[in-house]
Amino acid sequence: MEYCPFHSLISLPYFTPLSMMKHIQYQTTGTCSKLIDVTADENDVIQQVFFVGGCNGNLQGVSRLVEGQKIDDVISRVKGIRCGAKSTSCPDQLSCALEQLKQAPLE
């Protein structure tokens, strides 16, 4: 806890505000993973990604690779990737989740 120098006479506590975050849970379609839980900061930098279901090892790798990246950079890299004969993939669904996250309010 820090103290504000302007309140030194009465010693009121001064708290530094926490950074604002955006967070969504995205229901996927057409993939083995069923849900993507993703968080970004106020600068649209991805902080955490969790996939529920799907290829565990591969999706842990995708999650770690995109953490710390800008939302728009990740979208441009993974949008349109297909998995076999499917019209989508887990990375493509992540791009859909990130598009939705861009519109989410800061909390």
Side-chain angles (χ1 to χ4, degrees):
M1 180 168 58
E2 298 176 13
Y3 285 92
C4 178
F6 300 107
H7 294 111
S8 61
L9 295 177
I10 53 176
S11 299
L12 291 176
Y14 172 77
F15 297 98
T16 306
L18 298 174
S19 61
M20 302 291 283
M21 296 288 198
K22 297 178 182 184
H23 174 256
I24 63 157
Q25 291 186 331
Y26 180 80
Q27 293 287 136
T28 62
T29 57
T31 60
C32 298
S33 66
K34 299 301 175 200
L35 181 102
I36 303 171
D37 185 293
V38 60
T39 305
D41 67 15
E42 69 272 11
N43 298 313
D44 284 345
V45 174
I46 299 167
Q47 299 299 309
Q48 286 186 325
V49 179
F50 297 105
F51 287 84
V52 176
C55 305
N56 188 35
N58 288 333
L59 294 175
Q60 283 185 54
V62 169
S63 297
R64 289 183 187 175
L65 288 170
V66 303
E67 287 174 2
Q69 303 295 313
K70 297 284 278 181
I71 289 174
D72 287 332
D73 292 341
V74 173
I75 291 170
S76 69
R77 289 186 188 121
V78 302
K79 188 173 187 150
I81 293 175
R82 296 173 57 156
C83 183
K86 296 177 184 176
S87 62
T88 189
S89 66
C90 293
D92 185 55
Q93 289 294 293
L94 176 60
S95 74
C96 297
L98 293 174
E99 292 280 4
Q100 190 176 39
L101 182 64
K102 284 173 47 174
Q103 306 306 316
L106 289 168
E107 299 174 354

XYZ file of all heavy atoms in Angstrom:
820
model
N 0.846 -1.165 0.000
C 0.000 0.000 0.000
C 0.896 1.234 0.000
O 1.835 1.329 0.773
C -0.909 -0.028 1.238
C -1.823 1.142 1.333
S -3.147 0.974 2.574
C -2.235 0.704 4.049
N 0.595 2.180 -0.909
C 1.344 3.421 -0.996
C 0.538 4.537 -0.347
O -0.681 4.448 -0.222
C 1.580 3.785 -2.460
C 2.395 2.777 -3.204
C 2.514 3.135 -4.675
O 2.169 4.266 -5.043
O 2.941 2.271 -5.426
N 1.220 5.588 0.039
C 0.524 6.744 0.591
C 0.680 7.915 -0.347
O 1.746 8.155 -0.895
C 1.066 7.082 1.982
C 0.575 6.111 3.013
C 1.317 4.979 3.321
C -0.644 6.297 3.627
C 0.846 4.067 4.233
C -1.105 5.377 4.552
C -0.359 4.265 4.843
O -0.817 3.351 5.742
N -0.389 8.607 -0.584
C -0.405 9.761 -1.470
C 0.264 10.933 -0.750
O -0.108 11.265 0.382
C -1.837 10.114 -1.844
S -1.962 11.565 -2.906
N 1.256 11.563 -1.391
C 1.952 12.662 -0.717
C 1.033 13.850 -0.415
O 1.292 14.618 0.488
C 3.055 13.053 -1.699
C 2.648 12.495 -3.005
C 1.789 11.304 -2.725
N -0.050 13.983 -1.167
C -0.972 15.089 -0.940
C -1.833 14.885 0.311
O -2.451 15.805 0.808
C -1.870 15.292 -2.159
C -1.080 15.608 -3.395
C -0.929 14.662 -4.386
C -0.451 16.830 -3.545
C -0.189 14.928 -5.523
C 0.290 17.111 -4.675
C 0.428 16.162 -5.669
N -1.861 13.660 0.780
C -2.655 13.363 1.968
C -1.763 13.035 3.168
O -2.184 12.375 4.105
C -3.593 12.178 1.697
C -4.625 12.477 0.680
N -4.621 11.890 -0.552
C -5.675 13.329 0.697
C -5.639 12.346 -1.249
N -6.297 13.222 -0.525
N -0.535 13.488 3.133
C 0.404 13.117 4.192
C -0.014 13.648 5.560
O 0.337 13.071 6.571
C 1.813 13.596 3.850
O 1.819 15.010 3.739
N -0.771 14.717 5.587
C -1.185 15.266 6.875
C -2.186 14.364 7.580
O -2.201 14.282 8.798
C -1.771 16.669 6.700
C -0.788 17.726 6.199
C -1.528 19.044 5.992
C 0.338 17.913 7.200
N -3.015 13.658 6.795
C -4.024 12.815 7.431
C -3.767 11.330 7.176
O -4.525 10.491 7.611
C -5.444 13.212 6.979
C -5.558 13.225 5.457
C -5.847 14.544 7.549
C -6.951 13.504 4.937
N -2.722 10.992 6.417
C -2.283 9.611 6.179
C -3.376 8.698 5.630
O -3.595 7.601 6.121
C -1.718 9.004 7.468
O -0.612 9.735 7.885
N -4.094 9.154 4.607
C -5.068 8.296 3.947
C -4.336 7.353 2.999
O -3.391 7.751 2.325
C -6.079 9.127 3.142
C -7.045 9.969 3.957
C -7.908 10.806 3.032
C -7.920 9.069 4.808
N -4.734 6.090 2.935
C -4.071 5.162 2.009
C -4.385 5.531 0.562
O -5.474 5.995 0.251
C -4.655 3.805 2.373
C -5.903 4.092 3.112
C -5.768 5.464 3.726
N -3.401 5.324 -0.313
C -3.548 5.578 -1.735
C -3.282 4.269 -2.459
O -2.243 3.650 -2.272
C -2.552 6.647 -2.189
C -2.495 6.846 -3.672
C -3.494 7.550 -4.330
C -1.452 6.319 -4.420
C -3.451 7.734 -5.696
C -1.403 6.495 -5.787
C -2.401 7.211 -6.419
O -2.358 7.383 -7.773
N -4.217 3.832 -3.247
C -4.085 2.582 -3.972
C -3.876 2.864 -5.442
O -4.602 3.656 -6.036
C -5.329 1.706 -3.788
C -5.544 1.302 -2.356
C -6.429 1.983 -1.546
C -4.838 0.237 -1.830
C -6.615 1.603 -0.227
C -5.022 -0.142 -0.505
C -5.908 0.539 0.291
N -2.890 2.190 -6.041
C -2.666 2.286 -7.469
C -3.694 1.406 -8.158
O -3.836 0.229 -7.814
C -1.250 1.795 -7.832
O -0.314 2.522 -7.049
C -0.964 1.970 -9.303
N -4.448 1.959 -9.134
C -5.478 1.148 -9.782
C -4.855 0.004 -10.588
O -3.774 0.139 -11.151
C -6.193 2.140 -10.706
C -5.261 3.285 -10.875
C -4.381 3.303 -9.661
N -5.547 -1.120 -10.609
C -5.107 -2.262 -11.398
C -5.378 -1.980 -12.870
O -6.267 -1.206 -13.209
C -5.855 -3.519 -10.964
C -5.651 -3.955 -9.528
C -6.577 -5.121 -9.207
C -4.208 -4.350 -9.298
N -4.631 -2.624 -13.748
C -4.874 -2.420 -15.173
C -6.218 -3.034 -15.545
O -6.672 -4.005 -14.948
C -3.743 -3.026 -15.999
O -3.655 -4.404 -15.775
N -6.818 -2.465 -16.551
C -8.120 -2.928 -17.024
C -7.910 -4.084 -17.988
O -6.932 -4.126 -18.723
C -8.851 -1.787 -17.730
C -9.068 -0.555 -16.852
S -10.237 -0.860 -15.540
C -11.756 -0.790 -16.448
N -8.819 -5.036 -17.967
C -8.728 -6.220 -18.822
C -10.030 -6.440 -19.570
O -11.098 -6.013 -19.132
C -8.432 -7.465 -17.983
C -7.112 -7.441 -17.281
S -5.777 -7.652 -18.445
C -4.473 -8.119 -17.357
N -9.910 -7.152 -20.697
C -11.063 -7.648 -21.453
C -11.039 -9.163 -21.317
O -9.970 -9.776 -21.371
C -10.929 -7.308 -22.941
C -10.899 -5.847 -23.266
C -10.711 -5.694 -24.765
C -10.633 -4.252 -25.160
N -10.557 -4.107 -26.628
N -12.206 -9.763 -21.164
C -12.263 -11.218 -20.992
C -13.539 -11.752 -21.631
O -14.605 -11.158 -21.482
C -12.250 -11.573 -19.501
C -12.446 -13.019 -19.253
N -13.641 -13.534 -18.799
C -11.614 -14.079 -19.414
C -13.518 -14.855 -18.673
N -12.311 -15.201 -19.044
N -13.405 -12.860 -22.358
C -14.586 -13.548 -22.906
C -14.390 -15.048 -22.827
O -13.262 -15.535 -22.696
C -14.884 -13.167 -24.377
C -13.735 -13.593 -25.281
C -15.223 -11.700 -24.529
C -14.153 -13.773 -26.723
N -15.502 -15.757 -22.931
C -15.501 -17.207 -23.142
C -16.263 -17.428 -24.441
O -17.437 -17.068 -24.543
C -16.153 -17.936 -21.983
C -15.329 -17.872 -20.724
C -15.895 -18.717 -19.615
O -17.091 -18.931 -19.526
N -15.023 -19.192 -18.746
N -15.570 -17.990 -25.420
C -16.117 -18.146 -26.766
C -16.468 -19.604 -27.032
O -15.620 -20.480 -26.899
C -15.081 -17.660 -27.789
C -15.539 -17.767 -29.224
C -16.377 -16.813 -29.775
C -15.123 -18.828 -30.017
C -16.793 -16.917 -31.085
C -15.523 -18.934 -31.336
C -16.368 -17.974 -31.859
O -16.777 -18.071 -33.169
N -17.735 -19.849 -27.398
C -18.189 -21.194 -27.757
C -17.764 -21.462 -29.199
O -18.206 -20.772 -30.107
C -19.711 -21.292 -27.651
C -20.256 -21.184 -26.246
C -19.983 -22.417 -25.416
O -19.607 -22.294 -24.283
N -20.164 -23.593 -25.959
N -16.917 -22.458 -29.406
C -16.430 -22.768 -30.742
C -17.460 -23.579 -31.520
O -18.367 -24.178 -30.935
C -15.119 -23.569 -30.676
O -15.362 -24.800 -30.015
C -14.041 -22.788 -29.947
N -17.287 -23.609 -32.847
C -18.120 -24.457 -33.702
C -17.211 -25.156 -34.706
O -16.261 -24.562 -35.218
C -19.177 -23.638 -34.475
O -18.527 -22.631 -35.250
C -20.170 -22.985 -33.535
N -17.483 -26.428 -34.953
C -16.769 -27.174 -35.974
C -15.401 -27.680 -35.592
O -14.634 -28.098 -36.462
N -15.056 -27.635 -34.308
C -13.745 -28.110 -33.870
C -13.895 -29.044 -32.679
O -14.944 -29.109 -32.048
C -12.832 -26.937 -33.451
O -13.448 -26.226 -32.375
C -12.552 -25.997 -34.603
N -12.805 -29.734 -32.367
C -12.795 -30.626 -31.195
C -12.815 -29.826 -29.894
O -13.392 -30.266 -28.905
C -11.570 -31.529 -31.231
S -11.535 -32.618 -32.663
N -12.168 -28.665 -29.886
C -12.256 -27.815 -28.689
C -13.658 -27.210 -28.650
O -14.249 -26.917 -29.687
C -11.188 -26.719 -28.710
O -11.412 -25.805 -29.749
N -14.182 -27.054 -27.469
C -15.563 -26.591 -27.304
C -15.666 -25.159 -26.796
O -16.687 -24.515 -26.963
C -16.324 -27.517 -26.338
C -16.400 -28.944 -26.813
C -17.092 -29.023 -28.160
C -17.070 -30.434 -28.711
N -17.291 -30.470 -30.151
N -14.599 -24.656 -26.182
C -14.647 -23.332 -25.583
C -13.240 -22.742 -25.576
O -12.265 -23.457 -25.365
C -15.167 -23.433 -24.146
C -15.298 -22.116 -23.395
C -16.749 -21.688 -23.374
C -14.772 -22.251 -21.985
N -13.167 -21.424 -25.819
C -11.902 -20.702 -25.685
C -12.117 -19.584 -24.682
O -13.020 -18.768 -24.837
C -11.430 -20.114 -27.030
C -11.283 -21.216 -28.085
C -10.109 -19.362 -26.857
C -11.037 -20.702 -29.492
N -11.304 -19.570 -23.646
C -11.344 -18.539 -22.612
C -10.123 -17.645 -22.849
O -8.995 -18.121 -22.812
C -11.265 -19.203 -21.236
C -11.411 -18.227 -20.098
O -10.510 -17.386 -19.923
O -12.414 -18.322 -19.376
N -10.366 -16.366 -23.140
C -9.252 -15.495 -23.524
C -9.356 -14.134 -22.839
O -10.441 -13.594 -22.657
C -9.171 -15.355 -25.066
C -10.428 -14.764 -25.651
C -7.972 -14.576 -25.512
N -8.193 -13.607 -22.430
C -8.091 -12.334 -21.729
C -7.021 -11.478 -22.396
O -5.959 -11.976 -22.764
C -7.704 -12.554 -20.252
O -8.643 -13.442 -19.652
C -7.682 -11.249 -19.473
N -7.315 -10.180 -22.543
C -6.343 -9.219 -23.074
C -6.370 -7.975 -22.207
O -7.362 -7.682 -21.530
C -6.660 -8.863 -24.517
N -5.277 -7.217 -22.246
C -5.222 -5.984 -21.468
C -5.794 -4.811 -22.260
O -6.291 -4.980 -23.387
C -3.798 -5.700 -20.973
C -2.816 -5.382 -22.089
O -3.231 -5.087 -23.232
O -1.603 -5.422 -21.806
N -5.729 -3.624 -21.676
C -6.325 -2.430 -22.295
C -5.620 -2.017 -23.588
O -6.156 -1.246 -24.373
C -6.352 -1.252 -21.306
C -4.990 -0.694 -20.957
C -4.288 -1.365 -19.792
O -4.738 -2.436 -19.338
O -3.270 -0.823 -19.331
N -4.438 -2.572 -23.847
C -3.695 -2.280 -25.082
C -3.880 -3.370 -26.131
O -3.127 -3.431 -27.096
C -2.206 -2.108 -24.767
C -1.971 -0.946 -23.836
O -2.496 0.146 -24.034
N -1.201 -1.177 -22.791
N -4.866 -4.240 -25.931
C -5.152 -5.360 -26.831
C -3.989 -6.347 -26.937
O -3.766 -6.945 -27.986
C -5.583 -4.878 -28.217
C -7.019 -4.365 -28.230
O -7.758 -4.644 -27.264
O -7.407 -3.706 -29.203
N -3.264 -6.521 -25.856
C -2.215 -7.538 -25.786
C -2.802 -8.750 -25.066
O -3.335 -8.625 -23.955
C -0.963 -7.013 -25.052
C 0.061 -8.128 -24.867
C -0.357 -5.833 -25.800
N -2.709 -9.906 -25.688
C -3.284 -11.130 -25.135
C -2.499 -11.549 -23.897
O -1.276 -11.656 -23.929
C -3.268 -12.254 -26.189
C -4.099 -11.835 -27.406
C -3.789 -13.570 -25.595
C -3.897 -12.711 -28.619
N -3.219 -11.767 -22.805
C -2.598 -12.139 -21.541
C -2.704 -13.635 -21.251
O -1.765 -14.232 -20.744
C -3.235 -11.352 -20.388
C -3.073 -9.853 -20.530
C -1.618 -9.428 -20.536
O -0.853 -9.811 -19.661
N -1.234 -8.639 -21.522
N -3.868 -14.237 -21.556
C -4.078 -15.663 -21.288
C -5.048 -16.230 -22.305
O -6.003 -15.564 -22.700
C -4.680 -15.892 -19.903
C -3.741 -15.701 -18.766
C -4.385 -16.088 -17.434
O -5.574 -15.886 -17.228
N -3.602 -16.639 -16.542
N -4.796 -17.485 -22.700
C -5.714 -18.234 -23.559
C -5.807 -19.651 -23.012
O -4.786 -20.282 -22.750
C -5.223 -18.288 -25.023
C -6.187 -19.099 -25.885
C -5.036 -16.901 -25.602
N -7.034 -20.127 -22.830
C -7.277 -21.509 -22.412
C -8.281 -22.132 -23.376
O -9.314 -21.526 -23.653
C -7.851 -21.582 -20.991
C -6.924 -21.061 -19.934
C -7.148 -19.826 -19.348
C -5.834 -21.807 -19.515
C -6.307 -19.334 -18.372
C -4.974 -21.324 -18.542
C -5.220 -20.086 -17.967
N -7.960 -23.307 -23.883
C -8.884 -24.073 -24.711
C -9.462 -25.185 -23.859
O -8.740 -25.817 -23.090
C -8.149 -24.708 -25.892
C -7.752 -23.742 -26.975
C -6.583 -23.015 -26.875
C -8.548 -23.584 -28.106
C -6.200 -22.138 -27.882
C -8.179 -22.711 -29.113
C -7.001 -21.985 -29.007
N -10.749 -25.457 -24.015
C -11.395 -26.587 -23.355
C -11.676 -27.619 -24.429
O -12.399 -27.346 -25.396
C -12.701 -26.157 -22.652
C -13.411 -27.360 -22.047
C -12.416 -25.102 -21.596
N -11.082 -28.802 -24.279
C -11.198 -29.849 -25.284
C -10.146 -29.658 -26.371
O -9.326 -28.751 -26.322
N -10.157 -30.553 -27.333
C -9.201 -30.469 -28.436
C -7.895 -31.174 -28.124
O -7.770 -31.894 -27.139
N -6.915 -30.965 -28.987
C -5.587 -31.594 -28.857
C -4.783 -30.845 -27.806
O -4.224 -29.784 -28.090
C -4.865 -31.576 -30.198
S -5.804 -32.334 -31.525
N -4.729 -31.387 -26.618
C -4.174 -30.699 -25.458
C -2.785 -30.114 -25.699
O -2.550 -28.932 -25.451
C -4.161 -31.648 -24.250
C -3.770 -30.937 -22.980
O -4.092 -29.781 -22.778
N -3.069 -31.638 -22.115
N -1.865 -30.910 -26.168
C -0.490 -30.427 -26.359
C -0.408 -29.316 -27.393
O 0.239 -28.282 -27.170
N -1.055 -29.511 -28.533
C -1.032 -28.489 -29.579
C -1.666 -27.183 -29.110
O -1.156 -26.095 -29.385
C -1.744 -28.981 -30.837
C -0.960 -30.037 -31.566
O 0.262 -30.094 -31.475
N -1.659 -30.893 -32.291
N -2.772 -27.285 -28.405
C -3.472 -26.069 -27.986
C -2.749 -25.360 -26.850
O -2.828 -24.130 -26.739
C -4.920 -26.393 -27.632
C -5.732 -26.857 -28.850
C -7.131 -27.275 -28.443
C -5.771 -25.796 -29.934
N -2.022 -26.095 -26.014
C -1.167 -25.432 -25.027
C -0.080 -24.643 -25.747
O 0.258 -23.527 -25.355
C -0.522 -26.453 -24.090
C -1.443 -26.980 -23.028
C -0.693 -27.895 -22.079
O 0.329 -27.503 -21.513
N -1.192 -29.106 -21.910
N 0.456 -25.230 -26.826
C 1.473 -24.544 -27.618
C 0.932 -23.292 -28.268
O 1.567 -22.230 -28.211
N -0.244 -23.391 -28.880
C -0.873 -22.216 -29.492
C -1.085 -21.132 -28.439
O -0.760 -19.965 -28.666
C -2.220 -22.593 -30.167
C -2.999 -21.355 -30.559
C -1.980 -23.481 -31.379
N -1.596 -21.535 -27.291
C -1.854 -20.561 -26.215
C -0.590 -19.828 -25.816
O -0.582 -18.606 -25.697
C -2.446 -21.268 -24.993
O -3.685 -21.840 -25.305
N 0.481 -20.550 -25.606
C 1.733 -19.916 -25.183
C 2.334 -19.038 -26.276
O 2.953 -18.013 -25.988
C 2.724 -20.975 -24.736
C 2.306 -21.602 -23.425
C 3.316 -22.589 -22.932
N 2.809 -23.291 -21.760
C 3.440 -24.281 -21.178
N 4.597 -24.705 -21.655
N 2.923 -24.862 -20.120
N 2.169 -19.450 -27.528
C 2.722 -18.652 -28.631
C 2.008 -17.316 -28.806
O 2.629 -16.335 -29.208
C 2.670 -19.444 -29.937
C 3.668 -20.598 -30.041
C 3.354 -21.457 -31.255
C 5.092 -20.057 -30.109
N 0.705 -17.275 -28.509
C -0.036 -16.027 -28.733
C -0.028 -15.102 -27.517
O -0.289 -13.904 -27.660
C -1.485 -16.279 -29.208
C -1.488 -17.112 -30.480
C -2.339 -16.923 -28.131
N 0.263 -15.614 -26.331
C 0.312 -14.762 -25.144
C 1.408 -13.720 -25.320
O 2.519 -14.025 -25.753
C 0.542 -15.592 -23.890
C -0.683 -16.386 -23.492
C -0.463 -17.341 -22.337
O 0.651 -17.397 -21.785
O -1.419 -18.058 -22.005
N 1.074 -12.460 -25.042
C 2.010 -11.358 -25.207
C 1.950 -10.715 -26.585
O 2.620 -9.714 -26.832
N 1.133 -11.281 -27.476
C 0.990 -10.743 -28.833
C -0.230 -9.829 -28.918
O -1.188 -9.972 -28.169
C 0.828 -11.894 -29.841
C 1.953 -12.892 -29.820
C 3.265 -12.281 -30.272
O 3.326 -11.584 -31.277
N 4.321 -12.531 -29.515
N -0.194 -8.905 -29.872
C -1.340 -8.029 -30.119
C -2.460 -8.835 -30.778
O -2.206 -9.701 -31.615
C -0.958 -6.866 -31.035
C 0.102 -5.938 -30.463
C -0.442 -5.016 -29.411
C -1.102 -3.814 -30.058
N -1.628 -2.871 -29.082
N -3.694 -8.528 -30.422
C -4.859 -9.237 -30.954
C -4.858 -9.237 -32.478
O -5.014 -10.284 -33.112
C -6.170 -8.624 -30.405
C -6.332 -8.954 -28.920
C -7.372 -9.114 -31.194
C -7.523 -8.273 -28.257
N -4.683 -8.071 -33.100
C -4.748 -7.988 -34.561
C -3.645 -8.792 -35.244
O -3.855 -9.348 -36.321
C -4.708 -6.534 -35.025
C -6.008 -5.795 -34.743
O -7.080 -6.452 -34.707
O -5.966 -4.562 -34.564
N -2.462 -8.863 -34.637
C -1.365 -9.653 -35.208
C -1.718 -11.132 -35.226
O -1.462 -11.836 -36.219
C -0.068 -9.433 -34.418
C 0.490 -8.038 -34.556
O 0.121 -7.327 -35.518
O 1.298 -7.642 -33.688
N -2.313 -11.610 -34.148
C -2.680 -13.026 -34.068
C -3.802 -13.328 -35.055
O -3.751 -14.330 -35.777
C -3.065 -13.429 -32.630
C -3.616 -14.850 -32.583
C -1.866 -13.282 -31.709
N -4.793 -12.470 -35.125
C -5.898 -12.686 -36.067
C -5.360 -12.822 -37.483
O -5.742 -13.744 -38.219
C -6.947 -11.552 -35.978
C -7.691 -11.616 -34.647
C -7.926 -11.633 -37.151
C -8.573 -10.418 -34.362
N -4.462 -11.932 -37.873
C -3.945 -11.966 -39.248
C -3.140 -13.240 -39.530
O -3.071 -13.689 -40.667
C -3.103 -10.729 -39.536
O -1.897 -10.742 -38.801
N -2.559 -13.836 -38.511
C -1.754 -15.043 -38.698
C -2.574 -16.330 -38.723
O -2.201 -17.289 -39.410
C -0.714 -15.160 -37.592
C 0.391 -14.155 -37.711
C 1.468 -14.403 -36.670
N 2.421 -13.320 -36.679
C 2.698 -12.551 -35.645
N 2.099 -12.768 -34.482
N 3.572 -11.574 -35.743
N -3.668 -16.387 -37.961
C -4.364 -17.675 -37.810
C -5.729 -17.745 -38.487
O -6.269 -18.842 -38.650
C -4.496 -18.069 -36.311
C -3.129 -18.159 -35.652
C -5.408 -17.127 -35.556
N -6.275 -16.615 -38.884
C -7.599 -16.616 -39.516
C -7.549 -17.394 -40.825
O -6.651 -17.212 -41.637
C -8.069 -15.189 -39.778
C -9.488 -15.100 -40.253
C -9.966 -13.674 -40.326
C -11.441 -13.679 -40.636
N -12.103 -12.534 -40.057
N -8.512 -18.296 -41.002
C -8.621 -19.054 -42.238
C -7.890 -20.387 -42.246
O -8.003 -21.146 -43.205
N -7.145 -20.702 -41.182
C -6.477 -22.004 -41.107
C -7.550 -23.087 -41.002
O -8.514 -22.946 -40.255
C -5.511 -22.071 -39.905
C -4.338 -21.120 -40.117
C -5.024 -23.506 -39.674
C -3.388 -21.032 -38.923
N -7.370 -24.164 -41.759
C -8.332 -25.263 -41.745
C -7.690 -26.503 -41.135
O -6.473 -26.670 -41.180
C -8.792 -25.564 -43.162
C -9.556 -24.404 -43.780
C -9.861 -24.655 -45.218
N -10.611 -25.914 -45.359
C -11.394 -26.190 -46.371
N -11.540 -25.324 -47.348
N -12.027 -27.339 -46.435
N -8.521 -27.364 -40.576
C -8.065 -28.626 -39.986
C -8.611 -29.763 -40.849
O -9.813 -30.056 -40.803
C -8.562 -28.737 -38.548
S -7.997 -30.220 -37.697
N -7.735 -30.356 -41.642
C -8.175 -31.448 -42.514
C -9.262 -30.980 -43.461
O -9.142 -29.933 -44.100
N -10.352 -31.732 -43.540
C -11.466 -31.401 -44.434
C -12.448 -30.412 -43.807
O -13.401 -29.982 -44.461
C -12.197 -32.680 -44.835
N -12.214 -30.036 -42.554
C -13.122 -29.091 -41.882
C -12.956 -27.694 -42.479
O -11.887 -27.341 -42.970
C -12.830 -29.040 -40.383
C -13.071 -30.341 -39.655
C -12.688 -30.225 -38.197
C -12.846 -31.547 -37.486
N -12.390 -31.471 -36.100
N -13.982 -26.889 -42.379
C -13.920 -25.517 -42.897
C -13.285 -24.553 -41.897
O -13.144 -23.371 -42.186
C -15.326 -25.029 -43.254
O -16.141 -25.006 -42.097
N -12.907 -25.062 -40.731
C -12.327 -24.231 -39.677
C -11.278 -25.047 -38.927
O -10.990 -26.181 -39.296
C -13.419 -23.699 -38.723
O -12.857 -22.726 -37.842
C -14.098 -24.808 -37.934
N -10.713 -24.471 -37.892
C -9.718 -25.140 -37.043
C -9.723 -24.435 -35.701
O -10.337 -23.371 -35.540
C -8.326 -25.044 -37.669
O -7.902 -23.684 -37.686
N -8.999 -24.976 -34.741
C -8.883 -24.304 -33.439
C -8.221 -22.926 -33.579
O -8.722 -21.957 -32.993
C -8.145 -25.189 -32.445
S -9.087 -26.675 -32.007
N -7.136 -22.783 -34.361
C -6.580 -21.438 -34.534
C -7.571 -20.482 -35.225
O -7.659 -19.309 -34.857
C -5.336 -21.667 -35.398
C -4.926 -23.064 -35.092
C -6.224 -23.806 -34.900
N -8.324 -20.978 -36.205
C -9.328 -20.141 -36.871
C -10.409 -19.721 -35.882
O -10.849 -18.567 -35.871
C -9.940 -20.895 -38.046
C -10.901 -20.035 -38.851
O -10.491 -18.941 -39.299
O -12.057 -20.466 -39.039
N -10.829 -20.652 -35.032
C -11.815 -20.313 -34.006
C -11.239 -19.316 -33.001
O -11.946 -18.449 -32.507
C -12.308 -21.578 -33.295
C -13.200 -22.449 -34.161
C -14.502 -21.760 -34.502
O -15.335 -21.508 -33.642
N -14.680 -21.451 -35.783
N -9.938 -19.410 -32.718
C -9.295 -18.414 -31.862
C -9.392 -17.035 -32.501
O -9.653 -16.053 -31.804
C -7.826 -18.781 -31.609
C -7.010 -17.768 -30.807
C -7.607 -17.530 -29.415
C -5.559 -18.229 -30.705
N -9.229 -16.948 -33.817
C -9.363 -15.636 -34.476
C -10.781 -15.089 -34.305
O -10.960 -13.887 -34.098
C -8.978 -15.714 -35.958
O -9.961 -16.353 -36.738
N -11.782 -15.958 -34.358
C -13.171 -15.529 -34.117
C -13.339 -15.030 -32.681
O -13.999 -14.007 -32.447
C -14.131 -16.681 -34.384
S -14.151 -17.269 -36.078
N -12.751 -15.757 -31.739
C -12.816 -15.348 -30.329
C -12.139 -13.996 -30.135
O -12.651 -13.131 -29.420
C -12.162 -16.404 -29.444
N -11.002 -13.798 -30.793
C -10.272 -12.535 -30.642
C -11.019 -11.369 -31.279
O -10.981 -10.247 -30.759
C -8.870 -12.666 -31.244
C -7.945 -13.632 -30.500
C -6.638 -13.808 -31.263
C -7.692 -13.171 -29.071
N -11.730 -11.622 -32.375
C -12.574 -10.575 -32.971
C -13.635 -10.145 -31.969
O -13.907 -8.953 -31.807
C -13.243 -11.078 -34.258
C -12.304 -11.316 -35.402
C -11.913 -10.055 -36.155
O -12.311 -8.944 -35.749
O -11.187 -10.190 -37.154
N -14.224 -11.116 -31.285
C -15.237 -10.817 -30.269
C -14.602 -10.103 -29.071
O -15.176 -9.160 -28.529
C -15.923 -12.107 -29.832
C -17.140 -11.896 -28.975
C -17.833 -13.209 -28.664
O -17.188 -14.238 -28.416
N -19.146 -13.186 -28.668
N -13.409 -10.536 -28.690
C -12.720 -9.926 -27.552
C -12.410 -8.455 -27.812
O -12.471 -7.631 -26.893
C -11.429 -10.692 -27.241
C -10.625 -10.210 -26.045
C -11.416 -10.373 -24.742
C -9.294 -10.951 -25.961
N -12.064 -8.104 -29.037
C -11.775 -6.705 -29.376
C -12.944 -5.786 -29.030
O -12.758 -4.634 -28.659
C -11.451 -6.561 -30.861
C -10.072 -7.043 -31.226
C -9.804 -7.064 -32.710
C -10.208 -5.829 -33.457
N -9.787 -5.846 -34.873
N -14.171 -6.317 -29.136
C -15.375 -5.532 -28.877
C -15.821 -5.569 -27.409
O -16.724 -4.836 -27.023
C -16.523 -6.038 -29.760
C -16.202 -6.083 -31.237
C -15.692 -4.770 -31.783
O -16.236 -3.706 -31.465
N -14.641 -4.816 -32.577
N -15.191 -6.417 -26.617
C -15.594 -6.580 -25.213
C -15.222 -5.344 -24.400
O -14.209 -4.691 -24.680
C -14.926 -7.823 -24.621
N -16.017 -5.027 -23.391
C -15.696 -3.879 -22.538
C -14.541 -4.195 -21.600
O -14.305 -5.350 -21.245
C -16.987 -3.663 -21.742
C -17.620 -5.021 -21.695
C -17.257 -5.696 -22.995
N -13.837 -3.167 -21.217
C -12.783 -3.300 -20.209
C -13.445 -3.501 -18.856
O -14.451 -2.863 -18.538
C -11.890 -2.065 -20.185
C -10.977 -1.892 -21.390
C -10.360 -0.501 -21.382
C -9.902 -2.951 -21.413
N -12.873 -4.371 -18.048
C -13.427 -4.634 -16.714
C -12.408 -4.243 -15.662
O -11.251 -4.414 -15.812
C -13.746 -6.118 -16.566
C -14.768 -6.603 -17.565
C -14.962 -8.106 -17.508
O -14.243 -8.817 -16.773
O -15.853 -8.590 -18.192
